[in-house]
Amino acid sequence: MWDPELAELQRRRKLAEQMGGEERVARQHATGRLTIRERLAALTDTWQEVGGLTGRTGEDGFTPSNVIIGRARLAGRRVVVAGDDFTVRGGAADAAIHDKQILAERMAGEMRVPLVRLIDGTGGGGSVKQLEEYGRTYVPYNPGWDQVVANLGRIPVIALALGPVAGLGAARLVTSHVSIMVKELSQVFIAGPAVVAAGMGESVGKEELGGWRTVSAAGTVDLVAASEREAFELTGRVLSYLPQNAWQPPPVTAAADDPGRTSPELRALVPRDRRRPYDMRAIMDLVFDTGTVTELGRRFAASMITALARLDGRPVAVLASDPRVYGGGMTAQGSDKMARFIDLAETFHLPVVHLVDQPGFVIGTAAERAGTIRRGARALAAVYQSTVPWASVLIRRVFGVAGAAHRPHDRYGLRVAWPSGDWGSLPIEGGLEVAFKRLLAEAGPQAAALKAEIAERLEAVRSPFRTAEAFLVEDIIDPAETRPALTDWVHDAYAALDVGPNPAARP
């Protein structure tokens, strides 16, 4: 009989479940944070730990590893979860942390199931105190980073910041498809306030340095939750739009919304005055399946909207502009946001729906200093490199190079316009003075009247119906019919999906 060994097994499992001990668990709770095991219970339906006996035995007894990994079910789907235990050395590295993290990455990637990282701590090389313990230092490297990078092209990776996250922990957070943090509870930075003060002479608090306002506006995280439990709900929600891996199509669900539903309210949402903004998100809510729009990165590059949604139960990637911010113009950051989102759609076979109101690149000295045209051209390249089905609805403006990014023009895609459509190389309001500069200068006191006359002539050819006559736009539709047009298209789009990992997909 193996009773002594079985008793020892149970003893060690119990010690592992106690994590860093009562005092450190209490300290974790005092900060308003759950422990890693409480998080796993709240996030997953079922849990099967891997490497639960990992740790080390010293004079003070058994200390478990501060990374917990395992296989789980999340909303009925198979996933792998890797979580930091802040109650053991603040989540900093120990002798086993790298091996367990690498195994979690490899297990998820090779089993072709989504990976969820619960990050709480640095997860890096630990404290300088360990130099005396080891008797040496080392040349920095990131063990297993090949697996981290490889997973970006093969499985959905969702990463959550659930406490102070710095260094390698921050790198693990952002090397994901969607990153989530919790208001007031988590902070994300390259280095914390003490290191910043020592290295840069800058005194700053952790919220100012890496709190949710700073980090979400910078685009470091994609979603901000009000609580840990909301962060777990968002994790399940995001995964519901994505396939198990890059070899499968996105999951289709039964839709409670009528695919043929029309929305007469759409006819009145775009004002006749082209200088007046409107609510693009109201259009999205009326067009897509009710309650299915999940916006990513709302506070970052706010003139560009990126969201996941469904059409008749089929997940789609949504691009749009917010005319209330820079008129919807494309910024340098907006270009980066657009390119990264298109790559997500490409990796996981999400058809793209682009609701277009693009006046062009934002201009001026700040735009030039930000390298807007270079980063904008990169976004345009992402559009042209995409292979997923594409539908564009030209709602209002489509101008210049940024406007040309409304679809990949080298292949078929659905394209329809609203009667409010307005397009060209430059808007009349800005291009008239440039095109007729000499003529207006020669007109002297009559310049204002001449300008009004030229504008009236140009207005006569501005109608989108003139463009449709020349078959330069395929169709003009009643805005109320937008949803039926897109739900009809999405069935063909899913039938045409070329499922399989794209070797050119980027993080």
Side-chain angles (χ1 to χ4, degrees):
M1 298 293 290
W2 295 88
D3 290 347
E5 288 80 6
L6 291 173
E8 178 65 9
L9 173 61
Q10 293 304 316
R11 188 184 74 84
R12 287 178 178 253
R13 283 180 174 171
K14 185 175 181 180
L15 288 171
E17 289 173 0
Q18 293 172 357
M19 297 169 286
E22 290 184 11
E23 181 181 342
R24 291 181 179 177
V25 167
R27 195 182 306 167
Q28 179 90 347
H29 287 160
T31 64
R33 288 141 66 199
L34 301 172
T35 67
I36 179 57
R37 295 196 178 276
E38 290 167 338
R39 288 166 176 164
L40 290 167
L43 172 69
T44 65
D45 306 329
T46 63
W47 170 251
Q48 182 182 359
E49 189 167 349
V50 174
L53 300 179
T54 309
R56 57 183 175 179
T57 301
E59 294 180 359
D60 56 348
F62 177 76
T63 301
S65 168
N66 54 9
V67 166
I68 296 178
I69 68 171
R71 296 179 289 274
R73 294 269 177 182
L74 197 166
R77 293 176 59 175
R78 295 170 58 246
V79 299
V80 168
V81 183
D84 299 334
D85 184 358
F86 196 84
T87 70
V88 180
R89 289 183 298 283
D94 65 14
I97 189 172
H98 293 149
D99 289 340
K100 291 185 77 173
Q101 286 179 349
I102 294 168
L103 179 62
E105 298 284 338
R106 179 175 285 115
M107 180 165 52
E110 295 184 10
M111 288 174 59
R112 299 184 180 181
V113 299
L115 173 67
V116 180
R117 302 188 189 118
L118 305 179
I119 305 173
D120 189 358
T122 64
S127 167
V128 293
K129 289 181 180 179
Q130 291 179 303
L131 297 182
E132 287 188 321
E133 179 184 339
Y134 295 152
R136 56 174 168 75
T137 184
Y138 64 94
V139 177
Y141 75 110
N142 295 340
W145 208 251
D146 58 326
Q147 296 294 320
V148 172
V149 173
N151 279 341
L152 292 175
R154 57 191 185 185
I155 57 169
V157 180
I158 313 297
L160 288 69
L162 300 174
V165 174
L168 182 57
R172 290 173 58 225
L173 177 74
V174 300
T175 312
S176 62
H177 296 107
V178 177
S179 55
I180 305 170
M181 73 181 299
V182 182
K183 286 183 180 180
E184 318 299 342
L185 193 73
S186 55
Q187 299 83 34
V188 181
F189 21 60
I190 301 169
V195 179
V196 170
M200 304 298 294
E202 183 181 357
S203 180
V204 61
K206 64 179 183 179
E207 272 297 313
E208 183 183 355
L209 180 64
W212 71 272
R213 293 176 182 84
T214 300
V215 173
S216 61
T220 304
V221 297
D222 302 299
L223 291 167
V224 178
S227 67
E228 288 195 57
R229 295 189 184 278
E230 184 181 328
F232 302 149
E233 291 170 2
L234 286 171
T235 301
R237 184 176 178 90
V238 170
L239 283 176
S240 74
Y241 298 97
L242 304 177
Q244 282 292 90
N245 53 60
W247 289 264
Q248 296 181 11
V252 176
T253 59
D257 202 353
D258 179 6
R261 171 175 54 79
T262 60
S263 300
E265 308 96 303
L266 291 172
R267 296 169 181 157
L269 277 178
V270 178
R272 281 193 171 275
D273 183 348
R274 287 186 286 265
R275 295 170 297 180
R276 283 182 55 203
Y278 57 91
D279 187 353
M280 179 63 80
R281 291 176 181 85
I283 294 176
M284 294 165 60
D285 288 339
L286 289 168
V287 167
F288 298 101
D289 293 358
T290 300
T292 68
V293 177
T294 299
E295 187 171 348
L296 302 179
R298 181 162 183 166
R299 298 188 75 248
F300 171 61
S303 65
M304 170 59 64
I305 298 172
T306 54
L308 300 170
R310 289 188 181 85
L311 281 169
D312 200 21
R314 288 153 177 79
V316 293
V318 183
L319 287 168
S321 298
D322 187 347
R324 298 176 297 186
V325 182
Y326 294 125
M330 182 78 78
T331 64
Q333 288 186 328
S335 300
D336 294 344
K337 182 178 180 178
M338 181 180 188
R340 178 173 177 251
F341 188 68
I342 291 171
D343 291 342
L344 173 67
E346 187 71 8
T347 300
F348 297 115
H349 320 296
L350 294 167
V352 175
V353 177
H354 195 175
L355 305 179
V356 186
D357 187 351
Q358 182 52 258
F361 289 119
V362 171
I363 59 177
T365 55
E368 301 302 344
R369 287 195 298 269
T372 301
I373 190 60
R374 177 175 291 279
R375 292 157 75 178
R378 167 68 181 81
L380 187 62
V383 173
Y384 272 79
Q385 288 174 345
S386 74
T387 62
V388 293
W390 200 284
S392 300
V393 181
L394 311 184
I395 292 176
R396 189 159 67 173
R397 295 160 300 181
V398 193
F399 285 101
V401 176
H406 70 269
R407 74 167 184 181
H409 296 267
D410 59 331
R411 58 190 178 86
Y412 173 74
L414 176 72
R415 185 174 65 173
V416 295
W418 286 9
S420 48
D422 183 27
W423 37 64
S425 59
L426 281 172
I428 289 175
E429 292 82 0
L432 189 153
E433 288 86 350
V434 175
F436 296 94
K437 180 179 179 180
R438 180 176 177 182
L439 189 62
L440 292 171
E442 292 173 349
Q446 304 301 316
L450 178 59
K451 180 180 176 180
E453 178 188 332
I454 295 172
E456 186 177 356
R457 295 202 311 264
L458 294 176
E459 274 301 328
V461 298
R462 189 174 195 168
S463 167
F465 292 104
R466 291 288 189 93
T467 310
E469 287 174 3
F471 198 55
L472 297 175
V473 62
E474 293 83 356
D475 282 300
I476 298 175
I477 65 170
D478 178 348
E481 301 289 338
T482 303
R483 174 175 168 78
L486 289 175
T487 53
D488 184 64
W489 160 82
V490 81
H491 285 264
D492 290 335
Y494 265 73
L497 283 180
D498 184 11
V499 177
N502 182 353
R506 300 163 296 275

